[in-house]
């Protein structure tokens, strides 16, 4: 799913009408409509849109994408660890402990 579709889906999930977004973020109606339809937004515009959708922009390394997506989809608040030895049982970290711990750092040679 491309970024523009994600923006639209987030807006719809929040039950925000397209014509309400320009007022929330301070751009013209035409500019916002163009952005959702086929836009190539500037970074500052994209930042405004993210704020208007109660969201954040993140740069996620490809090798960590599956872990981040799993964390976002997991409805019970537990996040499976990314690297597990074959004989380990599935370990989970509760979101209240630290939902992003280790997601963006590289492991050392010992798996730490």
């Amino acid at each position: 799913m491309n970024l523009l579709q994600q923006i639209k889906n987030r807006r719809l999930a929040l039950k925000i009408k397209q014509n309400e977004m320009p007022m929330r973020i301070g751009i013209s109606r035409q500019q916002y409509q163009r952005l959702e339809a086929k836009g190539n937004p500037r970074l500052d515009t994209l930042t405004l849109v993210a704020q208007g959708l109660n969201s954040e922009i993140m740069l996620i390394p490809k090798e960590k994408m599956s872990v981040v997506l799993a964390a976002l989809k997991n409805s019970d608040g537990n996040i499976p660890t990314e690297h597990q030895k074959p004989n380990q049982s599935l370990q989970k970290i509760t979101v209240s402990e630290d939902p992003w711990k280790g997601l963006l750092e590289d492991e050392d040679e010992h798996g730490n």
Side-chain angles (χ1 to χ4, degrees):
M1 177 183 318
N2 71 34
L3 180 61
L4 299 179
Q5 188 62 44
Q6 290 178 49
I7 290 170
K8 183 176 180 178
N9 288 348
R10 175 68 176 162
R11 178 179 58 76
L12 293 172
L14 293 173
K15 298 180 180 7
I16 299 171
K17 295 178 183 176
Q18 188 180 44
N19 63 0
E20 296 171 344
M21 280 300 294
M23 293 289 289
R24 288 176 70 104
I25 63 176
I27 64 174
S28 72
R29 180 181 54 83
Q30 294 86 0
Q31 185 180 4
Y32 187 79
Q33 287 174 336
R34 192 172 40 245
L35 180 147
E36 251 190 40
K38 60 179 177 182
N40 185 10
R42 294 179 10 198
L43 184 56
D44 60 339
T45 302
L46 193 54
T47 301
L48 289 172
V49 170
Q51 290 170 351
L53 295 172
N54 299 326
S55 300
E56 292 291 332
I57 299 171
M58 291 184 71
L59 183 65
I60 302 170
K62 285 184 178 182
E63 64 272 12
K64 302 291 184 173
M65 184 61 90
S66 62
V67 176
V68 171
L69 291 174
L72 294 172
K73 288 180 182 179
N74 196 338
S75 62
D76 65 2
N78 294 324
I79 302 169
T81 58
E82 179 184 15
H83 301 288
Q84 297 177 0
K85 307 229 181 321
N87 61 353
Q88 283 182 315
S89 62
L90 183 62
Q91 297 177 358
K92 293 186 177 184
I93 302 169
T94 63
V95 173
S96 62
E97 290 175 17
D98 188 355
W100 304 106
K101 182 176 174 100
L103 289 179
L104 300 177
E105 293 102 20
D106 292 327
E107 292 186 84
D108 66 20
E109 61 201 37
H110 304 291
N112 298 322

